[in-house]
Amino acid sequence: MKITIVCDVLGDPNNGTSIAAYNLINFMLKKGHQVHVVCPDQDKKMKKGFYVVPTRDFGIFNGYVENNGVKISKRDDMILMRAIKGSDIVHIMMPFGLGKRSAYICKRYNIPCTAGFHVQAENFTSHFFVQNVRLANWAVYRYFFKRMYSMLDAIHYPSQFIKDEFEKNIGFETVGYIISNGISKDFYPKPVERPDYLKDRYLILFSGRYCKEKAHRVLIRALKYSKYRDKIQLIFAGRGPQEKALKKLAKKEGLKYPPIFQFFDHRQIVGTIRMCDLYVHPSNIEIEGISALEAIAGGLVPVVSNGERCATKNFALTPHNLFKANDAKDLASKIDYWFDHPKEKAENALLYRDFIKKMDREYCMEQMEKMFFEVIDKKKHDQKQR
């Protein structure tokens, strides 16, 4: 099968969507499929299978875009046509300019086309400070549907939550496949030796981009209500535009141990998870929460937000794994519970072993491949019926 994967944003594998794209590309190549990738990464111009488009110029806002760690594609129809021509199927990662144009081309030339749903409306509206305005988020979902998703043969949803959320806002039932982005087999529990300076501390990890919707602030503020506040070391794995503001807040809150802010590569995050005592996911906006799943697979007990726009609330197996969104006191009480009850914490970690099995990346990528074959076959069948 010849597959074209369209990425408005690709870059380094330092965010959920880019990691999902690389996983899909690598798996399909490993299975022997021919893969074309359209992206704006200029360093990939000479690499086999890559079709590189220009990047968009935002003028005075270029610094802001770069601070978010992304390069955004500028549409180029000639490059798109070269990549898409002769494809058995096209898969789009994001509903932006490149993706929208690819969907149009596929519809015009009867090429099977699918897309992943990796962008919540709030990921977009948060940049304009209206992420909590329902009308604004509704308008974004309607725009996404009208300009791209309505032209597709199927949609890949990483969670039931985001499928329900999208369909509620657009008022339509879509042809959707619910498939997790998957967890690498590298994430499994294993004892590791901590550095000496961390041996007497409780290590709490949160892995996520430093942006407002991830709600790092709630976790920082929770520590002042915890009986273990003078023993807790926060580790924030990631990068993003809110780093300076978060460091300033941590200093203001007078934390005994300043949080560790660091981007970890794959090998480093595996080791960091194994070293920690607890995983907290305070995010208010989350399509799937792959970083939380990785931490769970690595043996950590999670404490997640019950935010109505956050898929990770579905990861809570007990009431002690869940806290009230944006409530620092409630979060502190859940943190204290697990440190007060180490036996229950060990038992809870065992419960999560069965929960995580269905998230195996190899299995999930096989389901993606199956989706492609099914969409291609259905398209051929429908064309014969005309």
Side-chain angles (χ1 to χ4, degrees):
M1 160 168 70
K2 180 181 174 184
I3 309 164
T4 296
I5 299 174
V6 180
C7 307
D8 269 275
V9 177
L10 187 59
D12 296 326
N14 58 13
N15 63 81
T17 305
S18 293
I19 291 170
Y22 282 114
N23 289 341
L24 184 62
I25 292 164
N26 293 333
F27 178 84
M28 293 302 161
L29 287 170
K30 187 176 75 171
K31 290 298 291 286
H33 301 297
Q34 183 181 352
V35 180
H36 288 181
V37 181
V38 185
C39 69
D41 298 19
Q42 301 304 307
D43 62 330
K44 295 181 174 65
K45 273 190 173 180
M46 303 305 293
K47 291 186 177 181
K48 183 181 178 181
F50 282 86
Y51 293 76
V52 178
V53 297
T55 54
R56 191 175 293 276
D57 185 0
F58 290 92
I60 61 172
F61 296 106
N62 280 337
Y64 176 77
V65 174
E66 289 173 10
N67 198 34
N68 277 271
V70 298
K71 289 184 173 64
I72 299 177
S73 302
K74 182 178 180 181
R75 196 182 90 194
D76 187 309
D77 283 2
M78 287 184 64
I79 294 174
L80 271 177
M81 287 299 296
R82 286 207 331 264
I84 291 173
K85 186 178 179 181
S87 295
D88 294 303
I89 192 164
V90 172
H91 183 71
I92 299 164
M93 294 302 297
M94 302 180 97
F96 300 143
L98 211 57
K100 289 186 293 184
R101 186 61 175 173
S102 299
Y104 172 79
I105 291 170
C106 290
K107 188 171 180 64
R108 181 177 179 183
Y109 293 100
N110 287 316
I111 298 169
C113 187
T114 61
F117 206 100
H118 300 287
V119 182
Q120 261 175 285
E122 289 85 352
N123 296 141
F124 184 78
T125 56
S126 66
H127 294 290
F128 303 96
F129 310 103
V130 290
Q131 71 180 62
N132 294 318
V133 179
R134 289 185 179 274
L135 182 61
N137 294 320
W138 173 85
V140 170
Y141 280 130
R142 295 286 299 184
Y143 179 80
F144 285 169
F145 179 72
K146 181 179 179 182
R147 296 301 299 271
M148 193 185 86
Y149 287 106
S150 61
M151 293 187 280
L152 304 176
D153 297 294
I155 302 172
H156 160 228
Y157 295 101
S159 66
Q160 181 69 53
F161 158 78
I162 195 58
K163 182 177 188 292
D164 294 343
E165 183 76 3
F166 184 51
E167 292 179 346
K168 178 180 72 177
N169 278 277
I170 64 172
F172 292 96
E173 185 175 348
T174 62
V175 178
Y177 289 74
I178 300 165
I179 306 169
S180 170
N181 286 315
I183 307 299
S184 166
K185 286 185 171 65
D186 295 342
F187 292 94
Y188 61 88
K190 181 181 177 181
V192 295
E193 184 73 17
R194 288 184 181 180
D196 288 340
Y197 76 98
L198 294 176
K199 284 183 177 178
D200 61 344
R201 305 180 194 180
Y202 287 121
L203 306 186
I204 296 179
L205 174 68
F206 173 38
S207 185
R209 202 165 69 86
Y210 307 150
C211 55
K212 289 182 179 179
E213 60 264 34
K214 297 295 183 183
H216 294 74
R217 292 170 176 267
V218 179
L219 178 51
I220 292 172
R221 289 178 174 137
L223 261 60
K224 69 181 176 183
Y225 302 111
S226 170
K227 68 171 78 170
Y228 297 99
R229 58 185 169 272
D230 289 336
K231 294 192 69 178
I232 291 175
Q233 171 71 68
L234 297 179
I235 300 176
F236 291 132
R239 58 163 63 110
Q242 285 284 304
E243 183 172 347
K244 286 183 179 179
L246 293 172
K247 286 179 176 178
K248 185 176 179 180
L249 175 63
K251 187 175 182 180
K252 179 182 176 183
E253 293 293 336
L255 303 187
K256 182 175 179 180
Y257 302 117
I260 295 170
F261 292 87
Q262 185 178 338
F263 173 76
F264 298 96
D265 62 25
H266 179 78
R267 180 185 59 80
Q268 290 170 327
I269 195 63
V270 169
T272 301
I273 288 170
R274 290 170 176 165
M275 187 173 63
C276 288
D277 298 294
L278 197 66
Y279 181 82
V280 174
H281 200 88
S283 180
N284 292 316
I285 310 295
E286 203 72 73
I287 284 179
E288 183 180 21
I290 205 72
S291 60
L293 291 172
E294 289 173 346
I296 292 168
L300 294 185
V301 165
V303 178
V304 298
S305 164
N306 73 349
E308 63 176 19
R309 294 171 290 174
C310 191
T312 48
K313 62 178 176 288
N314 297 315
F315 300 167
L317 298 184
T318 76
H320 299 294
N321 297 115
L322 198 66
F323 77 96
K324 296 175 186 176
N326 297 313
D327 190 328
K329 286 186 178 180
D330 189 51
L331 174 54
S333 73
K334 300 302 166 62
I335 289 171
D336 287 356
Y337 174 83
W338 291 118
F339 291 147
D340 284 339
H341 300 86
K343 182 182 176 184
E344 287 86 347
K345 181 167 166 284
E347 291 170 350
N348 193 251
L350 289 175
L351 278 179
Y352 273 101
R353 287 192 183 180
D354 288 333
F355 172 83
I356 208 69
K357 285 178 182 176
K358 59 185 176 182
M359 310 295 184
D360 176 70
R361 181 182 295 164
E362 196 79 6
Y363 170 78
C364 294
M365 292 300 100
E366 286 172 357
Q367 296 306 300
M368 291 293 292
E369 183 185 42
K370 182 180 177 183
M371 177 185 78
F372 291 158
F373 280 126
E374 287 181 359
V375 169
I376 291 168
D377 288 344
K378 187 176 186 302
K379 190 87 168 181
K380 287 178 181 177
H381 178 268
D382 291 347
Q383 288 173 353
K384 286 180 182 178
Q385 299 301 310
R386 290 174 185 170

